[in-house]
Amino acid sequence: MELHDVWFVLIAVLWTGYFFLEGFDFGVGVLTKLLARDRAEKRVLINTIGPVWDGNEVWLLTAGGATFAAFPEWYATLFSGFYLPLLVILLCLIIRGVAFEYRVKRPEERWQRNWETAIFWTSLLPAFLWGVAFGNIVRGVEIDRNLEYVGTFWDLLNPYALLGGLVTLTLFTFHGTVFTALKTVGEIRERARTLALRVGLVTAVLALVFLLWTQVHSGDGKSLVALVVAVAALVTALVANQAGREGWSFALSGVTIVAAVAMLFLTLFPNVMPSTLDADWSLTVTNASSSPYTLKIMTWLAAIATPLVLLYQGWTYWVFRKRIGTQHLADAAH
């Protein structure tokens, strides 16, 4: 296997890790409006992801940096062609981080309510837009002979990509709901399990249509296996949720995300951004990659740094593994 193939796989792993981890905290952010009934329950939801949300975003930074270094042509075409939606995502992530930190700086109800509203919208919009972006990457966009995107913003809002956005939004919300059931106690835990069933059924329908569409468009035998795993894991996650096995339900919803993202990258390879104008103008792992020397240096650095990052993040989740409820909140309003 060539180094550019190895880095395609590594970037796929980074995006998979990002969607697995950031997916549930996007989902929890959405649940601050859908599940929480009062200020105390909103605080519980936010506290479930408080220690880990910023660590989850490291996966996005690493995926973006790895794409820039390993596949500069892919990075340039992607970030110039998808400039507006990616800018919206970036602004949402900035505001979201500020909202987490500033929400508790003042005790006034209006102040905290406004920041909680910001958390909701800045969780919902990226969850939707990431699906739109990856839908377009897999479907293909208008790339000319110079390997540059020549379409418009409105070309990105096609039915396939919009369906992909709905799938990521509902899937991340489901992932966040089962995470909430896993991390909380009391009434909010029971309502999270009930909501997980409703959201999960909607997710299953949308995901099945989207993945079948993807398989028909550009799938093969390997992507079909990933499709079957994704659907089976989602259905089993719903069964585990109904049985009160929150740990299994969360793990299986994670498997759904992993298998679905794996399917998208399997259908994409060896392209990184297909051209809908001419297949010969597509960006591939060969014509979009850096030099072999650059990829070799990156591989050594990744081999050293990646285990350390994984150990630290795993330790963080272990330290903050206990369930919480309204009874664990401090008496102070901030």
Side-chain angles (χ1 to χ4, degrees):
M1 180 181 288
E2 299 290 337
L3 279 179
H4 51 65
D5 297 333
V6 171
W7 273 97
F8 178 86
V9 174
L10 291 177
I11 289 172
V13 170
L14 289 171
W15 280 110
T16 302
Y18 173 66
F19 288 142
F20 180 96
L21 296 172
E22 190 85 310
F24 73 73
D25 76 48
F26 280 151
V28 172
V30 173
L31 293 179
T32 57
K33 290 287 187 183
L34 300 183
L35 183 64
R37 290 181 175 175
D38 53 34
R39 301 298 311 290
E41 290 189 350
K42 287 183 179 181
R43 290 175 62 196
V44 168
L45 290 174
I46 293 172
N47 286 351
T48 62
I49 59 174
V52 298
W53 67 268
D54 49 353
N56 295 343
E57 290 187 355
V58 171
W59 289 78
L60 172 61
L61 300 176
T62 309
T67 303
F68 172 77
F71 299 99
E73 287 284 355
W74 184 12
Y75 181 92
T77 303
L78 175 64
F79 279 77
S80 60
F82 293 19
Y83 179 81
L84 185 56
L86 292 178
L87 176 62
V88 172
I89 291 174
L90 176 60
L91 290 175
C92 284
L93 295 181
I94 293 172
I95 295 172
R96 190 169 184 262
V98 172
F100 280 126
E101 298 298 330
Y102 274 57
R103 181 185 61 88
V104 295
K105 297 301 183 183
R106 289 172 56 179
E108 292 88 348
E109 181 177 350
R110 182 178 179 182
W111 170 273
Q112 296 191 5
R113 185 173 63 249
N114 287 340
W115 285 119
E116 288 163 359
T117 300
I119 290 172
F120 168 77
W121 286 109
T122 56
S123 299
L124 185 148
L125 287 174
F128 175 74
L129 290 175
W130 278 127
V132 173
F134 270 83
N136 278 293
I137 291 173
V138 173
R139 170 183 173 271
V141 292
E142 296 180 7
I143 298 175
D144 65 8
R145 66 175 66 248
N146 298 316
L147 306 182
E148 296 180 357
Y149 178 71
V150 293
T152 67
F153 167 75
W154 302 108
D155 294 328
L156 302 178
L157 304 181
N158 54 80
Y160 176 79
L162 292 174
L163 177 60
L166 291 176
V167 170
T168 52
L169 175 58
T170 55
L171 181 55
F172 292 169
T173 303
F174 173 72
H175 197 40
T177 308
V178 294
F179 176 80
T180 299
L182 177 65
K183 286 287 293 178
T184 58
V185 295
E187 185 182 352
I188 192 171
R189 174 189 178 189
E190 298 302 321
R191 282 191 279 112
R193 287 173 52 192
T194 301
L195 182 60
L197 175 62
R198 298 172 184 172
V199 176
L201 291 174
V202 175
T203 303
V205 174
L206 293 175
L208 181 60
V209 174
F210 178 75
L211 295 179
L212 286 175
W213 193 344
T214 304
Q215 179 66 25
V216 171
H217 180 262
S218 53
D220 57 15
K222 294 178 181 178
S223 62
L224 180 60
V225 172
L227 185 156
V228 172
V229 171
V231 174
L234 181 56
V235 172
T236 312
L238 288 170
V239 174
N241 174 73
Q242 288 302 101
R245 303 298 296 272
E246 292 97 344
W248 280 104
S249 183
F250 177 72
L252 288 165
S253 70
V255 171
T256 303
I257 293 174
V258 171
V261 176
M263 179 186 177
L264 296 183
F265 277 95
L266 285 170
T267 59
L268 193 59
F269 186 82
N271 295 320
V272 293
M273 282 189 76
S275 172
T276 57
L277 299 179
D278 189 322
D280 292 335
W281 298 345
S282 297
L283 290 170
T284 68
V285 293
T286 303
N287 65 18
S289 69
S290 294
S291 67
Y293 181 74
T294 300
L295 297 178
K296 184 177 179 180
I297 296 299
M298 290 176 60
T299 303
W300 280 107
L301 292 175
I304 296 171
T306 302
L308 298 177
V309 173
L310 292 176
L311 285 172
Y312 171 75
Q313 194 162 23
W315 175 79
T316 302
Y317 277 93
W318 174 255
V319 170
F320 295 100
R321 67 189 181 278
K322 293 184 179 181
R323 295 177 183 266
I324 61 173
T326 54
Q327 66 270 33
H328 300 120
L329 299 177
D331 292 334
H334 64 289

